[in-house]
Amino acid sequence: HGGLSNIINQLKSHLLKHHNSNNNSDSVHILSGSKIVAMKFNEENKVIIKIEHYQEEKEGEDNIQELKFDHVFSTLPSYEVANLIYPYSNSLADKLNSIKYASVATINLVWNNNVLQKKDSVVSNQQIFSVPSNLNGFGYLIPSKEHSPIIGVTFDSLTFPDLNSKFKYSDNNQTRLTTMIGGDIDKSVNPNAVAFDDYNLTPEKQKYLYNLVQKTLSKHLNKNIPLPSPDHHTIHLWHKSIPQKYVNHSELINNIQTQAGNIFKNHTQSSNITLLGT
């Protein structure tokens, strides 16, 4: 139940198993926990990538390695590529940096019972959280004109019921929700939108987001009657995780790829760097 990591792990195993034969043991290398910090070209028309390996115990030059390639395919975010391109073209780097990325926080909530099921009985004179009818679906998205602080909710326990028994803190009869906050913020359209300007979620910010989600879900699902406190919750900030594609985005990408090809040809006699992704 590792999600998308299963695909990555299987691809890694396949490459290492089927391409690193006895006759060609060096055909595939996979480096993880590393960051590309610089790019340059040599007289042999090769691309030199400077890599910093993350090591908790050591810092400095011992963690730096330079690797030589015939061709490089880059899937880095455009703002990361821009840092590598600046020494060769300010205008191309500026185009890459013009692609905006939105940050999103996800708040995962888990209950050890089914809170998305309508309660058959209600204790008199007592407010009990009960959805109007049994919910069964993927979730819902909220348009900005509704002025909601959250942008969407997924009903994970309904979409992937086979995972309900996988968690040590809960049993089969559970509710798992993922709530999303942030995205492409325009306060003039949605004054209640929440923006994330840095990488860190302070304890105060996490508490604010948790209370905000509880209050908003109570409003959406049962007319402001408070949700019961979840048995488990986690909060993650995905900084600059969603590229924003505005009008003429395709034209911008075509211009970037054309200019990049011309620049790389000037340094290596051939366009041996391919920019993929946004």
Side-chain angles (χ1 to χ4, degrees):
H1 59 282
L4 290 177
S5 63
N6 280 336
I7 299 176
I8 298 172
N9 293 334
Q10 288 296 321
L11 286 173
K12 177 181 177 181
S13 298
H14 177 81
L15 288 171
L16 295 178
K17 179 179 179 180
H18 295 283
H19 294 274
N20 287 352
S21 62
N22 294 332
N23 297 329
N24 194 14
S25 59
D26 293 330
S27 62
V28 173
H29 290 277
I30 297 177
L31 300 178
S32 59
S34 305
K35 179 180 180 180
I36 298 175
V37 295
M39 177 182 68
K40 59 184 179 181
F41 308 92
N42 67 6
E43 299 80 4
E44 303 172 353
N45 295 331
K46 305 292 186 180
V47 183
I48 309 299
I49 300 296
K50 190 174 184 179
I51 297 176
E52 180 181 5
H53 302 290
Y54 296 122
Q55 298 182 20
E56 295 182 359
E57 298 180 356
K58 295 195 302 181
E59 294 182 0
E61 291 299 322
D62 291 341
N63 296 335
I64 301 298
Q65 180 182 15
E66 288 191 350
L67 300 175
K68 182 165 54 177
F69 299 97
D70 296 316
H71 199 108
V72 172
F73 295 88
S74 172
T75 59
L76 294 171
S78 59
Y79 56 87
E80 294 283 1
V81 179
N83 295 331
L84 305 175
I85 294 296
Y86 263 122
Y88 307 101
S89 173
N90 288 342
S91 63
L92 177 56
D94 289 341
K95 285 187 176 71
L96 288 163
N97 274 326
S98 70
I99 300 175
K100 304 302 180 183
Y101 284 72
S103 300
V104 173
T106 55
I107 297 86
N108 302 96
L109 307 171
V110 179
W111 291 265
N112 291 341
N113 61 300
N114 190 350
V115 301
L116 300 181
Q117 187 176 30
K118 182 180 180 181
K119 304 296 188 298
D120 293 330
S121 60
V122 177
V123 179
S124 60
N125 300 323
Q126 183 178 354
Q127 287 186 325
I128 296 179
F129 180 86
S130 176
V131 293
S133 61
N134 292 342
L135 298 179
N136 186 14
F138 180 82
Y140 58 93
L141 297 175
I142 307 166
S144 56
K145 70 176 184 178
E146 298 294 334
H147 296 176
S148 172
I150 69 176
I151 60 177
V153 182
T154 57
F155 302 152
D156 302 333
S157 52
L158 296 177
T159 310
F160 301 102
D162 52 308
L163 300 182
N164 289 352
S165 61
K166 302 293 184 180
F167 298 92
K168 62 182 180 181
Y169 49 78
S170 187
D171 57 22
N172 241 347
N173 183 31
Q174 71 171 195
T175 303
R176 289 179 288 111
L177 304 181
T178 296
T179 305
M180 294 155 280
I181 295 180
D184 190 19
I185 301 300
D186 185 346
K187 287 284 189 177
S188 66
V189 177
N190 182 4
N192 296 321
V194 179
F196 300 99
D197 300 323
D198 53 42
Y199 285 91
N200 298 318
L201 281 180
T202 63
E204 293 77 13
K205 186 77 168 181
Q206 292 191 43
K207 182 178 180 180
Y208 167 76
L209 292 176
Y210 171 80
N211 291 331
L212 182 64
V213 165
Q214 285 285 91
K215 180 179 179 181
T216 306
L217 288 179
S218 298
K219 177 182 179 181
H220 289 175
L221 299 178
N222 198 28
K223 300 179 181 179
N224 294 316
I225 296 178
L227 269 167
S229 297
D231 297 288
H232 182 81
H233 77 276
T234 59
I235 300 176
H236 295 283
L237 175 60
W238 311 99
H239 188 74
K240 298 178 73 171
S241 57
I242 305 179
Q244 303 302 300
K245 301 181 181 182
Y246 301 120
V247 176
N248 296 325
H249 181 80
S250 296
E251 181 180 344
L252 172 62
I253 295 300
N254 290 335
N255 290 338
I256 288 174
Q257 291 177 337
T258 299
Q259 186 175 354
N262 293 334
I263 291 171
F264 298 145
K265 282 182 181 178
N266 291 336
H267 289 278
T268 64
Q269 317 308 315
S270 63
S271 183
N272 54 359
I273 296 182
T274 302
L275 302 182
L276 302 173
T278 301

